[in-house]
Amino acid sequence: MDLDAWPRREHFDLFRAFDYPYFSLCADVDVTAFRDHVERDRLSFNLAVVYAIARAANAVPEFRYRIRDGDVVEHDIVHPSTTIMGADEVFGFCTLVYDEDFPEFARAAAEKIAQMQARPRVTEAGEGRDDLLFMTAIPWVSFTSFMHPLRLSPPDSIPRFAWGRYADSGGHVTLPLSVQGHHAVMDGLHAAKFYAQVQECFARPADVLGGARAPRG
């Protein structure tokens, strides 16, 4: 990116100098139609959420910006890297290839996830790559805030997402969804645009997910 022509250049310089330049938001999203569609079509709820988040994040340019050697690069596409629980309650990092077509994404992801469940590893998060979106599910807790661990040097500008246990409330099903980003490349406005995009995905699952079949889990 041409930083001199970037309207946020001053903000970039300000926030990248902070000791801790990250912000985090947590909001409930309505997954009523989404959950019903997933259960009816016998899809994996977790995998469908991973896809919806990746789809929404790719639609907001700021979620594809990364800080690299003092500059900012914009990826054409970014891919989900999510935690997967294996045996003995040990999780691994599983990097998936994002495909806008959910059936194609689900088929490739199911094989990769099965491999990770058989042998969980924490070296799978894409060492040396920054074209990723880090994700994790905490399905045992319906939380109201979340903070991810990260390295401060060099600056880690990969966005992070977490979602918890969904809850039935007044005829609606809501899911807590947390977003964490580097303030030098994105603001609250961009996080709000992401939430709008992902809520749209959750509201029209038939259009977004189609008729794919993926293992439950």
Side-chain angles (χ1 to χ4, degrees), residues 104-176:
E104 290 298 323
F105 171 78
R107 277 192 284 271
E111 181 178 348
K112 190 73 178 290
I113 288 171
Q115 294 173 356
M116 182 57 63
Q117 288 174 325
R119 184 173 176 266
R121 301 183 301 279
V122 291
T123 57
E124 178 63 21
E127 191 71 26
R129 293 176 58 182
D130 60 8
D131 61 336
L132 301 174
L133 302 162
F134 289 155
M135 306 182 188
T136 190
I138 315 292
W140 312 279
V141 181
S142 184
F143 52 78
T144 56
S145 65
F146 196 91
M147 182 67 68
H148 295 261
L150 44 76
R151 292 186 175 91
L152 301 181
S153 181
D156 185 335
S157 54
I158 296 175
R160 286 159 162 78
F161 307 86
W163 57 98
R165 184 179 64 194
Y166 57 69
D168 291 286
S169 177
H172 291 271
V173 181
T174 58
L175 182 79

Side-chain angles (χ1 to χ4, degrees), residues 84-91 117-120:
I84 295 295
M85 187 65 71
D88 300 321
E89 299 184 344
V90 174
F91 72 86
Q117 288 174 325
R119 184 173 176 266

Side-chain angles (χ1 to χ4, degrees), residues 27-45:
D28 286 338
V29 289
D30 190 323
V31 294
T32 309
F34 195 79
R35 187 196 65 171
D36 290 348
H37 180 90
V38 164
E39 290 185 347
R40 183 172 60 250
D41 279 14
R42 298 175 59 101
L43 304 175
S44 162
F45 181 79

Side-chain angles (χ1 to χ4, degrees), residues 46-63:
N46 186 68
L47 185 57
V49 171
V50 168
Y51 170 80
I53 291 173
R55 179 177 174 130
N58 270 284
V60 181
E62 286 74 14
F63 280 80

